Coordinates of all heavy atoms in Angstrom, one line a residue:
T1 N 38.7 93.7 -116.8 CA 37.5 94.6 -116.7 C 36.2 93.7 -116.6 O 35.4 94.0 -115.7 CB 37.4 95.5 -117.9 OG1 38.6 96.3 -118.0 CG2 36.2 96.4 -117.8
L2 N 36.1 92.7 -117.4 CA 35.0 91.8 -117.3 C 34.9 91.1 -116.0 O 33.8 90.9 -115.4 CB 35.0 90.8 -118.4 CG 34.7 91.3 -119.8 CD1 35.0 90.2 -120.9 CD2 33.2 91.6 -119.9
L3 N 36.1 90.6 -115.5 CA 36.1 89.9 -114.2 C 35.7 90.8 -113.1 O 34.9 90.4 -112.2 CB 37.5 89.3 -113.9 CG 37.6 88.4 -112.7 CD1 36.6 87.3 -112.7 CD2 39.0 87.9 -112.5
A4 N 36.1 92.1 -113.1 CA 35.8 93.0 -112.1 C 34.3 93.4 -112.1 O 33.7 93.8 -111.1 CB 36.6 94.3 -112.2
S5 N 33.7 93.2 -113.3 CA 32.3 93.5 -113.4 C 31.4 92.3 -113.5 O 30.2 92.4 -114.0 CB 32.1 94.3 -114.7 OG 32.9 95.5 -114.8
L6 N 31.9 91.1 -113.1 CA 31.2 89.9 -113.3 C 29.8 89.9 -112.6 O 28.8 89.3 -113.2 CB 32.0 88.7 -112.7 CG 31.5 87.3 -113.1 CD1 31.6 87.1 -114.6 CD2 32.3 86.2 -112.3
H7 N 29.7 90.6 -111.5 CA 28.4 90.7 -110.8 C 27.3 91.2 -111.7 O 26.1 90.9 -111.5 CB 28.5 91.5 -109.5 CG 28.9 92.9 -109.8 ND1 30.2 93.3 -110.1 CD2 28.2 94.1 -109.8 CE1 30.3 94.6 -110.2 NE2 29.1 95.1 -110.1
K8 N 27.6 92.1 -112.7 CA 26.6 92.7 -113.6 C 25.9 91.7 -114.5 O 24.8 91.9 -114.9 CB 27.3 93.8 -114.4 CG 27.8 95.0 -113.6 CD 28.3 96.1 -114.5 CE 28.8 97.3 -113.8 NZ 29.3 98.4 -114.6
F9 N 26.6 90.5 -114.7 CA 26.0 89.5 -115.6 C 24.8 88.8 -114.9 O 24.1 88.1 -115.6 CB 27.1 88.5 -116.0 CG 28.0 89.1 -117.0 CD1 29.1 89.9 -116.6 CD2 27.8 88.9 -118.4 CE1 29.9 90.5 -117.5 CE2 28.7 89.5 -119.3 CZ 29.7 90.3 -118.9
K10 N 24.6 89.0 -113.6 CA 23.5 88.4 -112.9 C 22.2 89.0 -113.5 O 21.1 88.4 -113.4 CB 23.6 88.7 -111.4 CG 24.6 87.9 -110.7 CD 24.7 88.3 -109.2 CE 25.7 87.4 -108.5 NZ 25.3 86.0 -108.5
A11 N 22.3 90.2 -114.1 CA 21.1 90.8 -114.7 C 20.5 90.0 -115.8 O 19.3 90.2 -116.2 CB 21.4 92.2 -115.2
L12 N 21.3 89.1 -116.4 CA 20.9 88.3 -117.5 C 20.0 87.1 -117.0 O 19.3 86.4 -117.8 CB 22.0 87.7 -118.3 CG 22.9 88.8 -119.0 CD1 24.2 88.1 -119.6 CD2 22.2 89.5 -120.0
N13 N 20.0 86.9 -115.7 CA 19.1 85.9 -115.1 C 19.4 84.5 -115.6 O 18.5 83.7 -115.9 CB 17.6 86.2 -115.3 CG 16.7 85.5 -114.3 OD1 17.1 85.1 -113.2 ND2 15.5 85.2 -114.7
C14 N 20.7 84.2 -115.8 CA 21.1 82.9 -116.2 C 22.3 82.5 -115.4 O 23.0 83.3 -114.9 CB 21.6 82.9 -117.7 SG 20.3 83.3 -118.9
P15 N 22.5 81.2 -115.2 CA 23.8 80.8 -114.5 C 25.0 81.3 -115.3 O 25.0 81.4 -116.5 CB 23.8 79.3 -114.6 CG 22.3 78.9 -114.8 CD 21.7 80.0 -115.6
I16 N 26.0 81.7 -114.5 CA 27.2 82.3 -115.1 C 28.4 81.3 -115.1 O 28.7 80.8 -114.0 CB 27.7 83.6 -114.3 CG1 26.5 84.6 -114.4 CG2 28.9 84.2 -115.0 CD1 26.8 85.8 -113.4
L17 N 28.9 81.0 -116.3 CA 30.1 80.1 -116.4 C 31.3 81.0 -116.6 O 31.3 81.9 -117.4 CB 29.9 79.1 -117.5 CG 31.0 78.1 -117.7 CD1 30.4 76.8 -118.3 CD2 32.1 78.6 -118.6
V18 N 32.4 80.7 -115.8 CA 33.7 81.4 -116.0 C 34.7 80.3 -116.4 O 34.9 79.4 -115.7 CB 34.1 82.1 -114.7 CG1 35.5 82.6 -114.8 CG2 33.1 83.3 -114.4
G19 N 35.4 80.6 -117.5 CA 36.5 79.7 -118.0 C 37.7 80.5 -118.2 O 38.0 81.2 -119.2
I20 N 38.6 80.5 -117.1 CA 39.8 81.3 -117.2 C 41.0 80.4 -116.9 O 42.2 80.9 -116.8 CB 39.8 82.4 -116.1 CG1 39.4 81.9 -114.8 CG2 38.9 83.6 -116.6 CD1 39.2 83.0 -113.7
S21 N 40.8 79.1 -116.8 CA 41.8 78.2 -116.4 C 43.1 78.2 -117.2 O 43.1 78.0 -118.5 CB 41.3 76.7 -116.4 OG 42.2 75.8 -116.0
R22 N 44.2 78.6 -116.6 CA 45.5 78.7 -117.2 C 45.6 79.5 -118.5 O 46.5 79.3 -119.3 CB 46.0 77.2 -117.5 CG 46.2 76.4 -116.2 CD 46.7 75.0 -116.6 NE 46.9 74.2 -115.4 CZ 48.0 74.1 -114.6 NH1 49.1 74.8 -115.0 NH2 48.1 73.3 -113.6
K23 N 44.7 80.5 -118.7 CA 44.7 81.3 -119.9 C 45.7 82.4 -119.9 O 46.3 82.7 -118.8 CB 43.3 81.9 -120.1 CG 42.3 80.8 -120.6 CD 41.0 81.4 -121.0 CE 40.0 80.4 -121.6 NZ 38.7 81.0 -122.0
S24 N 45.9 83.0 -121.0 CA 47.0 84.0 -121.2 C 46.7 85.2 -120.3 O 47.7 85.9 -120.0 CB 47.1 84.4 -122.7 OG 45.9 85.1 -123.1
M25 N 45.5 85.5 -119.9 CA 45.3 86.6 -119.0 C 46.0 86.4 -117.7 O 46.2 87.4 -116.9 CB 43.8 86.9 -118.7 CG 43.1 85.7 -118.0 SD 41.3 86.0 -117.8 CE 41.2 87.4 -116.6
I26 N 46.4 85.2 -117.4 CA 47.2 84.9 -116.2 C 48.7 84.8 -116.5 O 49.5 85.6 -116.0 CB 46.8 83.5 -115.6 CG1 45.3 83.5 -115.2 CG2 47.6 83.2 -114.4 CD1 44.7 82.2 -114.9
Y27 N 49.1 84.0 -117.5 CA 50.5 83.7 -117.6 C 51.2 84.9 -118.4 O 52.4 85.1 -118.2 CB 50.8 82.4 -118.3 CG 50.3 82.2 -119.7 CD1 51.0 82.6 -120.8 CD2 49.1 81.4 -120.0 CE1 50.6 82.4 -122.1 CE2 48.7 81.2 -121.3 CZ 49.4 81.7 -122.3 OH 49.0 81.5 -123.6
K28 N 50.5 85.6 -119.2 CA 51.1 86.8 -119.9 C 51.3 87.9 -118.9 O 52.3 88.6 -118.9 CB 50.3 87.2 -121.1 CG 50.4 86.3 -122.3 CD 49.7 86.9 -123.5 CE 50.0 86.0 -124.7 NZ 49.3 86.5 -125.9
L29 N 50.3 88.1 -118.0 CA 50.5 89.1 -116.9 C 51.6 88.8 -116.0 O 52.4 89.7 -115.6 CB 49.2 89.2 -116.1 CG 49.2 90.2 -115.0 CD1 49.2 91.6 -115.5 CD2 47.9 90.0 -114.1
L30 N 51.8 87.5 -115.7 CA 52.8 87.1 -114.7 C 54.1 86.7 -115.4 O 55.1 86.4 -114.7 CB 52.3 85.9 -113.9 CG 51.0 86.2 -113.1 CD1 50.6 84.9 -112.3 CD2 51.2 87.4 -112.1
D31 N 54.2 86.8 -116.7 CA 55.4 86.4 -117.5 C 55.8 85.0 -117.2 O 57.0 84.8 -116.9 CB 56.5 87.4 -117.2 CG 57.6 87.3 -118.3 OD1 57.4 86.8 -119.4 OD2 58.8 87.7 -117.9
T32 N 54.9 84.1 -117.3 CA 55.2 82.7 -117.0 C 54.7 81.8 -118.2 O 54.7 82.3 -119.4 CB 54.6 82.2 -115.7 OG1 53.2 82.4 -115.7 CG2 55.2 82.9 -114.5
T33 N 54.1 80.7 -117.9 CA 53.6 79.8 -119.0 C 52.3 79.2 -118.5 O 52.0 79.2 -117.3 CB 54.6 78.6 -119.2 OG1 54.7 77.8 -118.0 CG2 56.0 79.2 -119.6
P34 N 51.5 78.6 -119.4 CA 50.3 77.9 -119.0 C 50.6 76.8 -117.9 O 49.8 76.6 -117.0 CB 49.8 77.2 -120.2 CG 50.3 78.1 -121.3 CD 51.6 78.6 -120.9
E35 N 51.7 76.1 -118.0 CA 52.1 75.1 -117.0 C 52.3 75.7 -115.6 O 52.1 75.0 -114.6 CB 53.4 74.4 -117.5 CG 53.2 73.4 -118.7 CD 53.0 74.2 -120.0 OE1 53.4 75.4 -120.1 OE2 52.4 73.6 -121.0
E36 N 52.7 76.9 -115.6 CA 53.0 77.6 -114.3 C 51.8 78.4 -113.8 O 52.0 79.2 -112.8 CB 54.2 78.5 -114.4 CG 55.5 77.7 -114.8 CD 56.6 78.6 -115.1 OE1 56.6 79.3 -116.1 OE2 57.6 78.7 -114.3
A37 N 50.6 78.3 -114.4 CA 49.5 79.2 -114.1 C 48.5 78.7 -113.2 O 47.4 79.2 -113.0 CB 48.8 79.6 -115.4

């Protein structure tokens, strides 16, 4: 939900950092592991 709404964070007038690298939102959804993400 946050990723789909990421554009809304521009209203804060700050650079936006995204840290999703190999996280569980990927490997749990795909039923894999961090190594496979």
Side-chain angles (χ1 to χ4, degrees):
T1 301
L2 285 171
L3 185 58
S5 306
L6 191 66
H7 61 282
K8 293 184 178 181
F9 287 82
K10 290 180 175 293
L12 297 174
N13 198 29
C14 298
I16 301 168
L17 184 150
V18 171
I20 49 183
S21 182
R22 297 182 180 269
K23 286 188 174 180
S24 64
M25 65 183 289
I26 301 167
Y27 66 80
K28 286 186 177 179
L29 178 67
L30 302 178
D31 194 24
T32 57
T33 65
E35 289 72 22
E36 298 171 292

